[in-house]
Amino acid sequence: MSKKKKNDQKPTKVFIFQKKNYLFLFIGIAFIALGFILMSGGGSDDPEVFNPDIYNFRRIRLAPTLVLIGLGIQIYAILLNPNKKND
């Protein structure tokens, strides 16, 4: 019969992300949310009336750029290794 050792230790839980990773994740989420907020609006109450405000700089250039920057920050936060030492 095999005997189990009484000194068996349970493996410790190791988190992949550290505080720095989560900080960048939240910054990226904020950029994406701000981009979508800036994209909203600009419609018209009457479907027969055209509102040219839907094609302004904020909705066409600024908001999608903020969303893409936010996605880039998210990728950076996932790939960031906070345990890497700078020599």
Side-chain angles (χ1 to χ4, degrees):
M1 283 190 219
S2 65
K3 295 181 181 179
K4 292 186 178 179
K5 294 181 182 179
K6 293 183 179 181
N7 297 354
D8 287 342
Q9 293 181 353
K10 294 182 180 179
T12 60
K13 294 182 181 179
V14 178
F15 292 107
I16 296 173
F17 291 160
Q18 301 296 323
K19 183 179 179 181
K20 195 172 185 181
N21 295 90
Y22 286 114
L23 176 68
F24 279 107
L25 281 171
F26 289 129
I27 291 171
I29 289 171
F31 267 85
I32 293 170
L34 180 63
F36 278 108
I37 289 169
L38 290 176
M39 259 189 256
S40 67
S44 177
D45 294 333
D46 185 13
E48 299 296 323
V49 177
F50 176 72
N51 188 358
D53 195 35
I54 198 167
Y55 295 116
N56 66 5
F57 173 78
R58 186 183 82 192
R59 288 185 182 88
I60 297 297
R61 301 272 191 253
L62 182 62
T65 303
L66 286 176
V67 171
L68 290 175
I69 289 171
L71 290 173
I73 292 172
Q74 292 289 342
I75 292 170
Y76 176 74
I78 292 170
L79 296 177
L80 179 66
N81 185 1
N83 297 328
K84 183 178 177 183
K85 295 185 179 175
N86 295 333
D87 291 329

